[in-house]
C-alpha cells in the first residue's frame, strides 16, 4: 500500500524503528484478552437483534451470529465482514422464511466492503457520506450500538493465564505490538486497565488497517521474515501471517491457557533459535485448523 492510501493513524507503524532483532504481533480479543465471548454473547449478538428488528427470530439469529463470530472458520473476522456473512446465512435458513422475518438485503453493505474504504467505523461513515442509503445508516447505528454496549458491559475482563508471563519472557529479545481489528478506544482502555500496554511498543487497532497491514507497516523489511511472528486465535490471523510470509502461533480456542504455556515452554525458544518454521509450526497449524468448521450443521434452503 502506498503512503498516500495508508490510514493516517498507521503512520506510527510505518515510522516504527526496531529496537530488537525479533518482532511479535499479538491479537487482543480471544487471544491475549478473555473478552471475546462476553463481547459476542452480550454486546454484538443482542445488537444484531435490536438494531435490525430481528426479535421474532432471536434464537436463530443468536445461533447464527455465534457460529460466524466464534465457532467457525470466520471466527474473529472484521465486524462489517461478519455482519454481511450473518445476513447471508440467515437468508438461507428456512426458519427465517417460515416466520416472515424481514432481513436487510445487504447489497449496500457488500458495496461498502468492495469499495476500498477502510473496514472501520470511520471508513463506513466516510463511505456513507459519499454513498448515502438507509441500509448503511442502519449498519452504522448497529456499529455505534455495539460500541456503547462494549463500553458499558466489558470491564474487568482479564488476560488469559500465561499472557503476562509470556509478555515478560519476550521483553529482552522481542519488539511486541498489539495487532487487532478492535477499535482503538476499546483496545487502549482494556490493555491499560490490566497493565499490559507497558509491554507493547504500539497498540494497533482497526483504524490502522488490517492485521496483515499492521505487520506489513511495522515489521516487513525491518526484520527477517522468520524473525516476525503473529499470535492469534482465528483463521484470519493465520491467513494474515501467511499473506506476509511470517510465522504464526495459534492460540487454540477453548485451550487458551494451555496455548500460552506451550508458547513459553516450546514455541518461544524455537522462535528465538530459528527452529520454529517447518514441522513444528505446521503441526500447530494443523491442530488449529481442525478446531473450526467451515459450514454450519443446520438445514439450509439452498442445501449447501
Amino acid at each position: 500500500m502506498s503512503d498516500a492510501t495508508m490510514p493516517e493513524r498507521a503512520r506510527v507503524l510505518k515510522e516504527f524503528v526496531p529496537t530488537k532483532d525479533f518482532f511479535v504481533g499479538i491479537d487482543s480479543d480471544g487471544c491475549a484478552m478473555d473478552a471475546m465471548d462476553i463481547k459476542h454473547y452480550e454486546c454484538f449478538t443482542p445488537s444484531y437483534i435490536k438494531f435490525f428488528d430481528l426479535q421474532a427470530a432471536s434464537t436463530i439469529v443468536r445461533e447464527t451470529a455465534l457460529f460466524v463470530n466464534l465457532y467457525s472458520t470466520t471466527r474473529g473476522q472484521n465486524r462489517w465482514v461478519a455482519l454481511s456473512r450473518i445476513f447471508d446465512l440467515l437468508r438461507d435458513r428456512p426458519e427465517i422464511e417460515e416466520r416472515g422475518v424481514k432481513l436487510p438485503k445487504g447489497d449496500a453493505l457488500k458495496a461498502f466492503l468492495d469499495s476500498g474504504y477502510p473496514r472501520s467505523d470511520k471508513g463506513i461513515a466516510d463511505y456513507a457520506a459519499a454513498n448515502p442509503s438507509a441500509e448503511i445508516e442502519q449498519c452504522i447505528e448497529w456499529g455505534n450500538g455495539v460500541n456503547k454496549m462494549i463500553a458499558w458491559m466489558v470491564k474487568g475482563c482479564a488476560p488469559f493465564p500465561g499472557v503476562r508471563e509470556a509478555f515478560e519472557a519476550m521483553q529482552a529479545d522481542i519488539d511486541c505490538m498489539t495487532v487487532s481489528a478492535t477499535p482503538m478506544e476499546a483496545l487502549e482502555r482494556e490493555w491499560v486497565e490490566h497493565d499490559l500496554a507497558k509491554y507493547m511498543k504500539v497498540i494497533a487497532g482497526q483504524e490502522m488497517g488490517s492485521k496483515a497491514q499492521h505487520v506489513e507497516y511495522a515489521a516487513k523489511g525491518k526484520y527477517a521474515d522468520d524473525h516476525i511472528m503473529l499470535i492469534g486465535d482465528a483463521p484470519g490471523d493465520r491467513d494474515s501471517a501467511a499473506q506476509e510470509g511470517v510465522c504464526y502461533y495459534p492460540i487454540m480456542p477453548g485451550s487458551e491457557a494451555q496455548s500460552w504455556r506451550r508458547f513459553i515452554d516450546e514455541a518461544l525458544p524455537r522462535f528465538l533459535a530459528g527452529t520454529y518454521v517447518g514441522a513444528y509450526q505446521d503441526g500447530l497449524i494443523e491442530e488449529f485448523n481442525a478446531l473450526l468448521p467451515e459450514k454450519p450443521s443446520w438445514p439450509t434452503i439452498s442445501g449447501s
Side-chain angles (χ1 to χ4, degrees):
M1 179 176 286
S2 70
D3 287 356
T5 56
M6 181 187 305
E8 183 59 35
R9 295 191 68 172
R11 295 187 185 280
V12 67
L13 301 178
K14 192 74 171 179
E15 295 166 2
F16 171 73
V17 177
T19 67
K20 306 289 195 306
D21 290 334
F22 294 84
F23 174 96
V24 172
I26 305 113
D27 180 42
S28 185
D29 292 354
C31 177
M33 301 295 294
D34 189 6
M36 193 164 181
D37 283 4
I38 190 173
K39 286 181 180 179
H40 284 289
Y41 273 90
E42 311 300 342
C43 303
F44 278 85
T45 300
S47 297
Y48 296 126
I49 295 165
K50 173 177 172 54
F51 286 93
F52 297 106
D53 300 319
L54 300 175
Q55 290 85 346
S58 63
T59 301
I60 304 304
V61 173
R62 178 175 294 275
E63 180 183 41
T64 305
L66 294 177
F67 175 79
V68 168
N69 288 315
L70 296 179
Y71 303 124
S72 72
T73 54
T74 54
R75 173 185 170 91
Q77 274 193 332
N78 173 276
R79 64 170 62 184
W80 306 109
V81 178
L83 179 61
S84 180
R85 176 151 173 76
I86 288 167
F87 288 161
D88 288 344
L89 288 181
L90 286 174
R91 198 169 291 109
D92 200 28
R93 297 201 64 162
E95 302 96 329
I96 297 295
E97 187 175 84
E98 290 164 1
R99 299 180 187 203
V101 175
K102 184 178 180 181
L103 294 168
K105 290 183 178 180
D107 294 343
L109 178 57
K110 281 181 166 54
F112 160 63
L113 294 175
D114 293 338
S115 68
Y117 278 79
R119 293 171 175 180
S120 64
D121 293 349
K122 183 178 186 304
I124 196 169
D126 290 345
Y127 176 82
N131 303 273
S133 75
E135 181 180 294
I136 285 294
E137 287 304 321
Q138 193 175 20
C139 291
I140 290 173
E141 289 178 9
W142 166 79
N144 291 338
V146 169
N147 293 340
K148 290 176 182 177
M149 284 289 288
I150 289 172
W152 176 70
M153 173 65 73
V154 182
K155 302 181 190 300
C157 295
F160 288 107
V163 166
R164 192 178 306 277
E165 293 82 356
F167 289 2
E168 290 172 351
M170 287 190 278
Q171 292 305 292
D173 301 298
I174 297 171
D175 289 324
C176 296
M177 288 189 186
T178 308
V179 172
S180 175
T182 300
M184 291 290 298
E185 182 278 328
L187 280 176
E188 291 170 348
R189 171 166 41 81
E190 292 163 10
W191 283 61
V192 168
E193 177 186 1
H194 293 286
D195 199 30
L196 295 178
K198 67 184 182 184
Y199 298 109
M200 301 294 113
K201 297 298 184 183
V202 179
I203 293 178
Q206 65 171 225
E207 296 87 345
M208 294 185 181
S210 68
K211 294 176 188 178
Q213 289 169 335
H214 295 166
V215 172
E216 175 193 347
Y217 300 150
K220 287 288 287 186
K222 303 176 186 180
Y223 308 80
D225 284 352
D226 64 353
H227 285 200
I228 303 170
M229 175 181 282
L230 181 59
I231 301 178
D233 65 294
D237 303 326
R238 174 203 62 205
D239 295 345
S240 293
Q243 178 181 326
E244 296 302 321
V246 303
C247 304
Y248 175 61
Y249 181 77
I251 299 299
M252 308 294 177
S255 301
E256 293 85 359
Q258 297 92 320
S259 296
W260 281 106
R261 174 50 54 193
R262 179 160 59 178
F263 175 78
I264 296 169
D265 292 343
E266 296 179 7
L268 178 58
R270 283 179 171 273
F271 180 53
L272 295 174
T275 60
Y276 183 81
V277 175
Y280 182 76
Q281 177 179 245
D282 294 345
L284 292 177
I285 292 175
E286 183 177 352
E287 179 184 343
F288 173 72
N289 290 345
L291 294 175
L292 299 170
E294 179 182 359
K295 295 181 180 180
S297 59
W298 57 70
T300 61
I301 296 171
S302 65
S304 62

